[in-house]
Amino acid sequence: MNGDRRPLLLVLLGSALLVTLVLHLVFVPRYLPDDVLLTVLALGAGWVTYAIAFYALGRVGAEPESEAFPNLRFADVGIALLLVSLLLLLSFDALGVPLEGIVGIYALPAAGIYAGLALLGWSIGRRTEAINEMVR
């Protein structure tokens, strides 16, 4: 990676992690049981910043000169995991499973969403760094 971009990526990584933590630890618990719209907005913003953090992590940790051109197979797996987990969460809601009563049943799809976002961001970050290295 070019030495002049590494500090910017580290700033992006740190700020994305900070915003993700603030959104998930402050705003989501404040809005979760009562206000559905603000909960969805806070979660959506948290998911975007979480994916950006893993994008920056993928770019910082990539070494394109030592490996073959990375494919997007992990991104495909991440998108599939994300979509299946979202469908599972929506099916729980459609079946009427209460969020307050059984939090544990919602933990597996939630972990799948975050794992899918991490795979997607990391894979796109590695691919971007490899393309940038080819252009240089």
Side-chain angles (χ1 to χ4, degrees):
M1 164 175 256
N2 195 357
D4 59 338
R5 289 191 185 164
R6 186 168 294 274
L8 292 175
L9 285 174
L10 291 175
V11 168
L12 177 66
L13 176 64
S15 61
L17 285 175
L18 181 67
V19 171
T20 301
L21 286 174
V22 167
L23 283 170
H24 283 83
L25 296 177
V26 175
F27 290 107
V28 172
R30 182 183 304 170
Y31 300 131
L32 183 61
D34 301 325
D35 197 355
V36 175
L37 178 64
L38 289 176
T39 301
V40 169
L41 288 175
L43 270 177
W47 289 349
V48 168
T49 58
Y50 184 79
I52 289 172
F54 274 92
Y55 167 81
L57 192 63
R59 285 202 59 188
V60 167
E63 296 177 9
E65 60 273 351
S66 67
E67 62 186 55
F69 191 69
N71 57 24
L72 289 176
R73 220 171 272 142
F74 284 116
D76 294 339
V77 170
I79 290 172
L81 193 57
L82 173 71
L83 292 176
V84 167
S85 298
L86 279 173
L87 284 174
L88 193 58
L89 277 175
L90 291 174
S91 67
F92 288 158
D93 187 45
L95 291 173
V97 176
L99 177 64
E100 295 85 16
I102 311 170
V103 176
I105 199 166
Y106 284 94
L108 183 63
I113 288 171
Y114 286 102
L117 287 170
L119 284 172
L120 180 65
W122 177 75
S123 179
I124 291 174
R126 283 184 55 225
R127 180 77 170 231
T128 302
E129 190 57 36
I131 290 171
N132 285 345
E133 192 65 30
M134 287 174 54
V135 170
R136 286 185 210 131

